[in-house]
Amino acid sequence: MSFLETLQKNAMIPEKYKQMTREELENRVMEVKKQLGSRLFIPGHHYQKDEVIQFADATGDSLKLAQLSAENTEAEFIVFCGVHFMAETADILTNDNQKVFLPDMRAGCSMADMADIEQTERAWEKLQALFDDTILPLTYVNSTAAIKSFVGAHGGATVTSSNAETMVKWALGMKERILFLPDQHLGRNTAADLGIGLDEMAIWNPITNELEYDGEVSNIRVILWKGHCSVHENFTVQNVADTRVQYPDMKIIVHPECRREVVELADMAGSTSYIINAIEQAEQGSSWAIGTEMNLVNRIINEHPDKQIISLNPHMCPCLTMNRIDLPHLVWSLDTLEDTNNIIKVDPEISENAKLALDRMLKNS
Ligand code: 13P
Ligand code: SF4
């Protein structure tokens, strides 16, 4: 079935699921979970809605969810509450007897869509001509399986926001320079934290198929793919300045998918798990402005009534694709585990090299 057909099929969630009450939907999830026991595993990313995350068997950031997928050899059905690239990663890391489902196939990631395999192959050809065999590719896990496969085939690895520093160091120990896909901000923030100058970083523009850099190209150590997260780009230097004026004692903590200027001005930066842990360990009465996705920020606010917590951007909204996974889709998915509906199956040829890239990361994390 083509991707388009899959989408069309998934657009047709039977009407009955939309008519069910919240109580009926919740009861149905509990019923299926009870029936299937350890045959079913529901991982949930921290950005998922409360109505869904309450049923997750495990929650985590991208690294933890990848590690759990690699460890879980028991569950026959993995219903992934997250976005498409996360479910693909789970499929790559689990065995052939395990089936991975994404409750709504429209739950993509706009950042992952900013690097396609044709663009990457074209870029690589040009970069090889410029730099010979001195580049190692690294890709943020927020990328398609095809990009992971490309990276794996060229000796590189995946990274997540919680191990990016380790992986960039690892890569620069192997080759003189790296190509970092597809998030320029995570790449720039990580390299800068490792002491690499902004003047040693170039941008690869996949639309013009050109390197954007003023200077002597032999000085380049990091080539940043020109992609970004449309959610985290909404945190601005102005938001930081306003917060500092309005709440002078407030600590600002952001995700490294935010722009460099924002991360530099913040007090702390790290993955979703890092943010959760930092607030958990913070003193009672302390105050925080958080720069990340809104479902998570609201959950942290509700879980810490003893602290003053706000979103760094007061007009922030949730990640729209993460939000596509809701209770009706979860129940529909659980009701159709024996169908091919909502199944994520990565082509074995792509999966083999993508697994190499993921395994290199898991070994180093
Ligand atoms: P982490 O949970 O790994 O920090 O990832 C954030 C993210 O944007 C996932 O899409
Ligand atoms: Fe993609 Fe950004 Fe949404 Fe994460 S928050 S899934 S990177 S669009």
Side-chain angles (χ1 to χ4, degrees):
M1 195 191 306
S2 75
F3 186 59
L4 194 63
E5 281 166 334
T6 312
L7 277 181
Q8 279 162 350
K9 191 171 180 198
N10 275 273
M12 294 187 292
I13 175 175
E15 200 51 36
K16 68 170 184 179
Y17 293 104
K18 294 189 198 154
Q19 305 302 333
M20 285 168 79
T21 64
R22 171 121 183 195
E23 196 186 350
E24 286 169 336
L25 290 163
E26 290 184 342
N27 286 342
R28 182 67 191 137
V29 180
M30 288 189 278
E31 203 182 327
V32 178
K33 283 183 74 135
K34 201 165 155 206
Q35 256 170 25
L36 292 177
S38 60
R39 291 174 67 203
L40 170 69
F41 181 55
I42 306 182
H45 186 266
H46 292 309
Y47 290 162
Q48 289 286 293
K49 292 175 174 188
D50 286 346
E51 66 183 50
V52 165
I53 208 88
Q54 62 174 327
F55 294 114
D57 295 308
T59 59
D61 63 6
S62 310
L63 177 63
K64 183 168 168 206
L65 295 177
Q67 285 167 332
L68 287 172
S69 303
E71 282 161 20
N72 187 325
T73 50
E74 194 185 0
E76 251 170 86
F77 309 110
I78 297 170
V79 178
F80 209 106
C81 293
V83 286
H84 194 267
F85 72 80
M86 294 178 178
E88 278 191 335
T89 299
D91 179 56
I92 293 164
L93 292 173
T94 48
N95 62 49
D96 289 345
N97 305 325
Q98 298 175 289
K99 286 185 190 165
V100 178
F101 300 83
L102 183 66
D104 186 341
M105 286 292 188
R106 297 169 303 169
C109 164
S110 54
M111 177 201 284
D113 292 341
M114 286 179 196
D116 75 31
I117 189 64
E118 286 80 22
Q119 289 170 331
T120 307
E121 277 164 356
R122 269 192 294 148
W124 192 249
E125 207 180 301
K126 267 202 163 178
L127 290 170
Q128 292 297 293
L130 263 177
F131 298 110
D132 285 330
D133 189 25
T134 64
I135 320 171
L136 198 76
L138 285 181
T139 186
Y140 193 18
V141 284
N142 300 29
S143 52
T144 63
I147 300 292
K148 292 183 179 78
S149 175
F150 175 92
V151 166
H154 290 88
T158 57
V159 318
T160 76
S161 54
S162 54
N163 60 22
E165 260 193 49
T166 310
M167 295 312 296
V168 168
K169 257 197 244 167
W170 169 83
L172 287 173
M174 313 254 292
K175 292 267 169 87
E176 247 172 84
R177 44 184 70 86
I178 57 169
L179 168 64
F180 192 98
L181 298 116
D183 184 12
Q184 58 169 310
H185 300 308
L186 179 65
R188 186 178 293 110
N189 285 321
T190 307
D193 288 347
L194 286 171
I196 297 170
L198 293 178
D199 56 352
E200 297 172 285
M201 301 184 211
I203 291 175
W204 182 264
N205 184 331
I207 308 296
T208 59
N209 198 39
E210 278 178 3
L211 199 63
E212 296 178 359
Y213 185 70
D214 292 329
E216 174 50 55
V217 291
S218 60
N219 293 332
I220 296 173
R221 296 185 66 203
V222 174
I223 301 154
L224 302 165
W225 192 269
K226 201 173 188 171
H228 63 267
C229 165
S230 36
V231 175
H232 288 90
E233 276 221 334
N234 290 326
F235 296 103
T236 62
V237 167
Q238 191 60 48
N239 292 146
V240 176
D242 292 346
T243 307
R244 297 282 189 219
V245 170
Q246 218 181 332
Y247 309 97
D249 295 330
M250 196 166 254
K251 280 235 157 78
I252 298 180
I253 185 165
V254 300
H255 195 279
E257 286 175 16
C258 293
R259 300 162 200 270
R260 179 74 198 141
E261 308 85 272
V262 172
V263 171
E264 258 184 328
L265 291 170
D267 299 298
M268 297 159 86
S271 78
T272 52
S273 291
Y274 174 89
I275 294 173
I276 292 168
N277 291 338
I279 308 283
E280 263 167 18
Q281 283 158 24
E283 275 176 33
Q284 270 195 350
S286 56
S287 52
W288 295 84
I290 307 180
T292 196
E293 195 270 346
M294 215 48 218
N295 282 327
L296 176 58
V297 175
N298 281 332
R299 189 171 309 121
I300 296 177
I301 292 173
N302 292 334
E303 285 173 358
H304 297 274
D306 59 321
K307 291 160 197 155
Q308 184 193 7
I309 304 168
I310 58 169
S311 168
L312 179 59
N313 177 343
H315 307 294
M316 200 57 196
C317 51
C319 169
L320 294 178
T321 48
M322 281 276 178
N323 252 16
R324 288 197 182 277
I325 313 295
D326 57 11
L327 259 182
H329 281 89
L330 177 59
V331 173
W332 175 42
S333 198
L334 291 174
D335 273 352
T336 52
L337 294 175
E338 299 298 343
D339 300 351
T340 50
N341 232 4
N342 300 329
I343 264 200
I344 298 287
K345 186 77 211 131
V346 178
D347 184 323
E349 270 178 40
I350 291 178
S351 194
E352 196 181 323
N353 285 328
K355 190 166 184 308
L356 280 180
L358 284 160
D359 283 345
R360 286 182 191 122
M361 171 185 80
L362 293 173
K363 216 173 73 192
N364 280 286
S365 301

